[in-house]
Amino acid sequence: MIMDEDFIKNPDVPGPTKEELRCLMICKSNVSDKDIVVDIGCGTGGLTVEFAKKAKYVYAIDINNKAIETTIQNIKKHDVNENVEVLEGDGLDVLDELTNFDLLIIGGSGGKLPLLIKKGYNKLNNNGRIIITAILLETRVEAVSTFKELSVIPDVVDISISKGQISERGTMMFAKNPVAIISAKKEN
Amino acid sequence: MIMDEDFIKNPDVPGPTKEELRCLMICKSNVSDKDIVVDIGCGTGGLTVEFAKKAKYVYAIDINNKAIETTIQNIKKHDVNENVEVLEGDGLDVLDELTNFDLLIIGGSGGKLPLLIKKGYNKLNNNGRIIITAILLETRVEAVSTFKELSVIPDVVDISISKGQISERGTMMFAKNPVAIISAKKEN
Amino acid sequence: MIMDEDFIKNPDVPGPTKEELRCLMICKSNVSDKDIVVDIGCGTGGLTVEFAKKAKYVYAIDINNKAIETTIQNIKKHDVNENVEVLEGDGLDVLDELTNFDLLIIGGSGGKLPLLIKKGYNKLNNNGRIIITAILLETRVEAVSTFKELSVIPDVVDISISKGQISERGTMMFAKNPVAIISAKKEN
Amino acid sequence: MIMDEDFIKNPDVPGPTKEELRCLMICKSNVSDKDIVVDIGCGTGGLTVEFAKKAKYVYAIDINNKAIETTIQNIKKHDVNENVEVLEGDGLDVLDELTNFDLLIIGGSGGKLPLLIKKGYNKLNNNGRIIITAILLETRVEAVSTFKELSVIPDVVDISISKGQISERGTMMFAKNPVAIISAKKEN
Ligand SMILES: Nc1ncnc2c1ncn2[C@@H]1O[C@H](CSCC[C@H](N)C(=O)O)[C@@H](O)[C@H]1O
Ligand SMILES: Nc1ncnc2c1ncn2[C@@H]1O[C@H](CSCC[C@H](N)C(=O)O)[C@@H](O)[C@H]1O
Ligand SMILES: Nc1ncnc2c1ncn2[C@@H]1O[C@H](CSCC[C@H](N)C(=O)O)[C@@H](O)[C@H]1O
Ligand SMILES: Nc1ncnc2c1ncn2[C@@H]1O[C@H](CSCC[C@H](N)C(=O)O)[C@@H](O)[C@H]1O
């Protein structure tokens, strides 16, 4: 895993997704070098870069122009230009242009999560996987209820991590904000 | 409970103990208006003030002169001057001068936790209680092992709290750092 | 605080609310001996008993007959019969019969949380408080969104507690399931 | 990642390490197909199997004969016999016989953690990594203080996970016990 501090940051763009979370998303996604990945809400490119190292190809999408710029910087820095394409736009529109993908990451939705899940899940290749990160309580619930509508029971994991800062006095634990991962596999 | 923002703060003094933790300490301590309380490491006076509202009398001790000043300010602000005495010094020394107390809070120890627990526990009135807050991993373990030496099995609770910040987008959860409360009752 | 094991349990009734949570609810509620409390979804009576010790009067309501029985047992055991009245029925109906209360606890809602919050909040005395426990993700979100409809910004706290079990080998931490407390004050 | 339920269990053996934790250990370890791994305290083989899929070779060690048996069963079930060797014995002794390894996992130590860390760290290849799981408070602290003795500042992460159980009523979160991962890299 790339360390958090090895990503270029941008004060106007959320991210990068913390190391431990990137790690869990790699696992939950079961990504392989045969997979084509779509990362909606690529932010700083934290997940884009990490998945690009494991997958065949990644489409990185963001509606925010500054996120697109930062993602491009991180793609260069981490040397994954060759198998990433960066697309500016609303994920809901960009999805229309994409076909044939195995893994859909939704890291940002701007209030359109149900539509993104439905459209994305439908377009996903068979045995494809969809994986959503949620920092808002509402996102967790929206994801679950949209999957219910699709008759899919997703896996829901809420992760709270604290990291030790070691000094002479001892080991002080600093908490990271909780994040949920909601994921599902498309069975055909 | 007093709200966190209603305490006077000081950049050089840790505290005040967060509302939820003050609350749990009040409960775990079973404090009543018959109790005389000793608060070693009073910091900003967060616990001192809260216990002064429930107990008969509180001795607030800190080795840091700025903590003493801030505690005095909060005592005045929250109108509990009448049943609090503030004592500057190392808790280990000040304990020598105190007799007859029912509740010992250790919120700071500066590496002297085992000695503070032993001396404090011995001087505690019968049916007295001792209650320690730990932010360091080492403090948790030191507290447990010192109680073991005293043939006491303490209650150990680790508390992780996150607080919602509500905006139009939704409810974002912000994590507070984990804190442990280690407490025990002196049975005679 | 009463210890968890000091409540009579019933395999068919959820509860009692864990000690630490009861404690935080007492604090968040700011209950005093002038307060009349309504506890909808009293379950085993865990909160009923605890609030009865601090408040003027508690109405304990549950739709489940076995919960009513268990609550009555715990009221007797903990000697608070004199200021508790137990009412069997759907909280939404029973609320119609109640006037003049300062504190509304909703510990169970059976899918009617928005209606319970709205009716309860409206009937609450001025400066009254409403306090909801949520174990489901959906309950957290429903509570927040209902308060938003009422133009109230609630306090949202998610609590994760783990308890130490001490043996010769060391201190093993056992996690309790996370619970959220959503609370608000009625300002007039 | 292999799902928790896909490992053979044994009532007398702790494990398998939960999916999310296995995942984080894989990440923290930076394991590659060039790495030789030593897994002290292999238990049911949860980590052994997972690392065998990524590494060149794994030595799985346990002092408990039943753990050895269960590990062998899981190695077979998950088809990694070819690059795993199972060794019964105290890790401290078995370490003496091993040379040339890149990754040391300590998942159980039976009170010998400081000695295991010291011996293991010394024998580790350059750029090797050591990674310890801790469920006891004492193990966390012992690991940190042993690394301090070795003038190494380890990475300390405490992980609390809760998993959603989805029903018609909603999504109930069930907490797993917190686990810490303490890891370090050997810089030469
Ligand atoms: N409908 C939508 N389409 C595309 N991007 C969107 C979107 N709604 C929100 N976003 C984007 O989602 C992003 C969420 S932050 C994502 C962080 C990222 N995973 C990282 O590791 O860096 C933001 O950059 C936001 O601009
Ligand atoms: N041996 C000792 N004797 C007295 N005070 C000590 C001490 N070691 C540390 N302290 C004090 O312990 C305090 C810990 S911070 C305590 C915060 C306090 N509970 C609040 O709510 O504000 C610090 O102010 C520190 O100066
Ligand atoms: N609409 C409704 N009206 C009244 N009670 C309800 C209800 N919906 C659910 N309940 C009750 O809410 C309870 C939730 S469990 C509450 C546990 C309780 N706080 C304790 O400490 O013991 C259940 O007993 C359930 O029967
Ligand atoms: N000194 C020692 N040497 C070897 N094994 C040890 C040991 N002390 C404890 N153990 C073993 O450490 C194991 C810890 S449980 C490990 C679980 C394992 N990671 C899994 O995924 O299944 C136990 O099986 C115990 O027998």
Side-chain angles (χ1 to χ4, degrees):
Chain A
M1 285 288 125
I2 298 163
M3 286 166 71
D4 293 350
E5 48 272 32
D6 288 342
F7 285 101
I8 295 163
K9 290 196 182 80
N10 184 324
D12 299 324
V13 181
T17 303
K18 297 269 178 303
E19 182 191 350
E20 283 81 11
L21 196 64
R22 277 181 275 127
C23 170
L24 287 166
M25 294 195 63
I26 292 281
C27 289
K28 291 279 171 192
S29 72
N30 249 320
V31 62
S32 86
D33 57 10
K34 296 198 181 76
D35 286 325
I36 297 178
V37 178
V38 174
D39 180 12
I40 296 181
C42 56
T44 64
L47 294 171
T48 296
V49 167
E50 211 74 78
F51 277 84
K53 296 193 161 209
K54 312 261 180 190
K56 188 169 172 189
Y57 205 81
V58 180
Y59 295 98
I61 304 166
D62 208 293
I63 202 168
N64 175 359
N65 169 264
K66 284 179 181 160
I68 293 293
E69 277 172 27
T70 315
T71 295
I72 290 172
Q73 290 176 325
N74 276 309
I75 286 170
K76 283 194 188 133
K77 173 164 184 191
H78 295 285
D79 211 26
V80 291
N81 332 35
E82 277 183 23
N83 61 334
V84 179
E85 187 174 333
V86 180
L87 301 161
E88 187 176 334
D90 185 322
L92 210 51
D93 301 328
V94 181
L95 266 183
D96 287 332
E97 295 155 38
L98 297 173
T99 47
N100 184 28
F101 52 89
D102 306 285
L103 191 49
L104 174 61
I105 301 166
I106 308 180
S109 56
K112 297 175 177 168
L113 187 61
L115 294 172
L116 281 168
I117 292 176
K118 284 179 195 170
K119 190 179 279 187
Y121 187 80
N122 280 331
K123 297 198 75 167
L124 210 54
N125 287 343
N126 280 335
N127 296 314
R129 289 127 286 142
I130 179 166
I131 175 160
I132 297 149
T133 52
I135 51 172
L136 301 178
L137 293 184
E138 288 79 1
T139 307
R140 289 158 166 86
V141 169
E142 252 179 4
V144 171
S145 71
T146 306
F147 280 115
K148 277 182 168 175
E149 280 186 53
L150 296 168
S151 302
V152 174
I153 301 293
D155 177 270
V156 179
V157 189
D158 215 303
I159 300 131
S160 290
I161 272 176
S162 54
K163 293 209 164 198
Q165 193 170 295
I166 298 175
S167 71
E168 266 184 48
R169 284 179 58 219
T171 309
M172 164 89 192
M173 301 307 291
F174 289 91
K176 306 280 173 193
N177 296 333
V179 188
I181 299 177
I182 299 103
S183 57
K185 190 171 173 181
K186 181 169 180 175
E187 320 272 6
N188 53 313
Chain B
M1 285 288 125
I2 299 165
M3 286 166 73
D4 293 350
E5 47 272 33
D6 287 341
F7 284 101
I8 295 164
K9 293 198 181 76
N10 185 324
D12 298 324
V13 180
T17 303
K18 296 271 177 304
E19 181 192 350
E20 284 79 13
L21 196 65
R22 278 181 274 127
C23 171
L24 287 166
M25 294 195 62
I26 291 280
C27 289
K28 292 278 174 197
S29 71
N30 248 321
V31 62
S32 86
D33 57 10
K34 298 199 181 73
D35 286 326
I36 296 177
V37 179
V38 174
D39 180 13
I40 297 182
C42 56
T44 63
L47 293 171
T48 296
V49 167
E50 211 73 77
F51 278 84
K53 296 192 164 215
K54 312 259 180 194
K56 189 170 171 188
Y57 204 82
V58 180
Y59 294 99
I61 304 166
D62 209 292
I63 202 168
N64 175 359
N65 170 264
K66 283 178 182 160
I68 294 293
E69 277 172 27
T70 315
T71 295
I72 290 172
Q73 290 175 325
N74 275 310
I75 287 170
K76 283 194 188 134
K77 172 163 185 190
H78 295 285
D79 211 25
V80 291
N81 330 36
E82 276 182 23
N83 61 333
V84 179
E85 187 174 334
V86 180
L87 300 161
E88 188 175 334
D90 186 324
L92 210 51
D93 301 328
V94 181
L95 265 183
D96 287 332
E97 295 155 39
L98 297 173
T99 46
N100 184 28
F101 51 90
D102 306 286
L103 191 50
L104 175 60
I105 301 167
I106 308 180
S109 56
K112 297 175 179 171
L113 188 60
L115 294 173
L116 281 168
I117 292 177
K118 283 179 195 168
K119 190 179 279 188
Y121 187 80
N122 280 331
K123 298 198 74 167
L124 210 52
N125 286 343
N126 280 336
N127 296 313
R129 289 130 283 143
I130 180 167
I131 174 160
I132 297 149
T133 53
I135 53 173
L136 301 178
L137 293 185
E138 288 78 2
T139 307
R140 290 160 166 85
V141 169
E142 254 180 1
V144 170
S145 71
T146 307
F147 280 115
K148 278 182 167 177
E149 280 186 54
L150 295 168
S151 301
V152 174
I153 302 293
D155 177 270
V156 179
V157 188
D158 215 301
I159 299 133
S160 289
I161 272 177
S162 54
K163 293 208 164 199
Q165 191 171 296
I166 297 175
S167 70
E168 266 186 46
R169 283 180 59 219
T171 309
M172 166 89 191
M173 301 307 292
F174 288 91
K176 307 279 172 195
N177 296 334
V179 187
I181 300 176
I182 299 103
S183 57
K185 191 172 172 179
K186 181 169 181 176
E187 321 272 7
N188 55 313
Chain C
M1 284 288 125
I2 299 164
M3 286 166 73
D4 293 350
E5 47 273 32
D6 288 341
F7 285 100
I8 295 164
K9 291 196 182 77
N10 185 325
D12 299 324
V13 180
T17 303
K18 296 268 178 307
E19 181 191 350
E20 285 79 11
L21 196 65
R22 276 181 275 127
C23 172
L24 287 166
M25 293 195 63
I26 292 280
C27 289
K28 291 279 172 193
S29 72
N30 248 319
V31 64
S32 86
D33 57 10
K34 297 199 182 75
D35 286 325
I36 297 178
V37 178
V38 174
D39 181 11
I40 297 181
C42 57
T44 63
L47 293 171
T48 296
V49 167
E50 210 73 77
F51 278 84
K53 295 192 162 212
K54 311 260 181 191
K56 189 170 172 188
Y57 204 82
V58 180
Y59 294 99
I61 303 166
D62 209 292
I63 203 169
N64 175 358
N65 170 264
K66 284 180 182 159
I68 294 293
E69 276 171 28
T70 316
T71 295
I72 289 171
Q73 291 175 324
N74 275 309
I75 287 170
K76 284 195 188 131
K77 173 165 184 189
H78 294 284
D79 210 26
V80 291
N81 331 34
E82 277 185 20
N83 61 333
V84 179
E85 186 174 336
V86 180
L87 301 160
E88 188 175 335
D90 185 322
L92 209 52
D93 301 328
V94 181
L95 265 183
D96 287 333
E97 295 156 38
L98 297 173
T99 47
N100 185 27
F101 52 89
D102 305 286
L103 192 50
L104 174 62
I105 302 167
I106 309 180
S109 56
K112 296 175 178 169
L113 187 61
L115 294 173
L116 281 168
I117 292 177
K118 283 179 195 170
K119 190 179 278 188
Y121 187 80
N122 280 330
K123 297 198 76 167
L124 210 54
N125 286 344
N126 280 336
N127 296 313
R129 288 128 285 142
I130 178 166
I131 175 160
I132 297 148
T133 52
I135 51 172
L136 301 178
L137 293 184
E138 288 78 2
T139 307
R140 290 159 165 87
V141 169
E142 253 181 2
V144 170
S145 70
T146 306
F147 280 116
K148 277 182 167 176
E149 280 187 53
L150 295 169
S151 301
V152 174
I153 302 293
D155 178 270
V156 179
V157 188
D158 215 303
I159 300 132
S160 289
I161 273 178
S162 54
K163 293 208 165 199
Q165 193 170 294
I166 298 175
S167 71
E168 266 186 48
R169 283 180 59 218
T171 309
M172 164 88 191
M173 301 306 293
F174 289 91
K176 307 280 173 194
N177 296 334
V179 188
I181 300 177
I182 299 104
S183 56
K185 191 172 171 180
K186 181 169 180 177
E187 320 272 7
N188 54 313
Chain D
M1 284 290 124
I2 299 164
M3 286 166 74
D4 293 349
E5 48 273 33
D6 287 342
F7 285 100
I8 295 163
K9 293 198 180 76
N10 184 324
D12 298 324
V13 180
T17 303
K18 297 269 177 306
E19 181 191 351
E20 284 80 10
L21 197 64
R22 277 181 274 127
C23 173
L24 287 165
M25 294 195 61
I26 291 281
C27 289
K28 291 279 172 195
S29 72
N30 249 321
V31 62
S32 87
D33 57 12
K34 298 198 181 74
D35 286 325
I36 296 177
V37 179
V38 175
D39 180 12
I40 297 181
C42 57
T44 64
L47 294 171
T48 296
V49 168
E50 211 73 77
F51 278 85
K53 296 192 161 212
K54 312 259 180 192
K56 190 171 172 188
Y57 205 81
V58 181
Y59 295 98
I61 304 166
D62 209 292
I63 203 169
N64 175 359
N65 170 264
K66 284 180 182 159
I68 294 293
E69 277 171 26
T70 316
T71 294
I72 291 171
Q73 291 176 324
N74 276 310
I75 287 169
K76 282 193 189 134
K77 171 163 185 191
H78 296 283
D79 209 26
V80 291
N81 331 35
E82 278 183 22
N83 61 333
V84 180
E85 187 174 335
V86 179
L87 301 161
E88 188 176 335
D90 185 323
L92 211 51
D93 301 328
V94 181
L95 265 183
D96 286 333
E97 296 155 37
L98 297 173
T99 47
N100 184 28
F101 50 88
D102 307 285
L103 192 50
L104 175 60
I105 301 167
I106 308 180
S109 57
K112 297 176 179 169
L113 187 61
L115 294 172
L116 281 169
I117 292 177
K118 282 179 195 168
K119 190 179 278 187
Y121 187 81
N122 280 332
K123 297 198 75 167
L124 210 54
N125 286 344
N126 280 335
N127 297 311
R129 288 129 285 145
I130 179 167
I131 174 160
I132 297 149
T133 52
I135 51 172
L136 301 178
L137 293 184
E138 288 78 2
T139 308
R140 290 159 165 87
V141 169
E142 254 181 2
V144 170
S145 71
T146 307
F147 281 116
K148 277 182 168 176
E149 281 186 54
L150 296 168
S151 302
V152 174
I153 302 292
D155 177 270
V156 179
V157 188
D158 215 303
I159 300 132
S160 290
I161 273 177
S162 54
K163 293 209 166 199
Q165 191 170 297
I166 297 174
S167 71
E168 267 186 46
R169 282 180 60 219
T171 309
M172 166 88 191
M173 302 306 293
F174 289 90
K176 307 278 173 196
N177 296 335
V179 187
I181 300 176
I182 298 104
S183 57
K185 191 173 172 179
K186 181 169 180 174
E187 321 272 7
N188 54 313

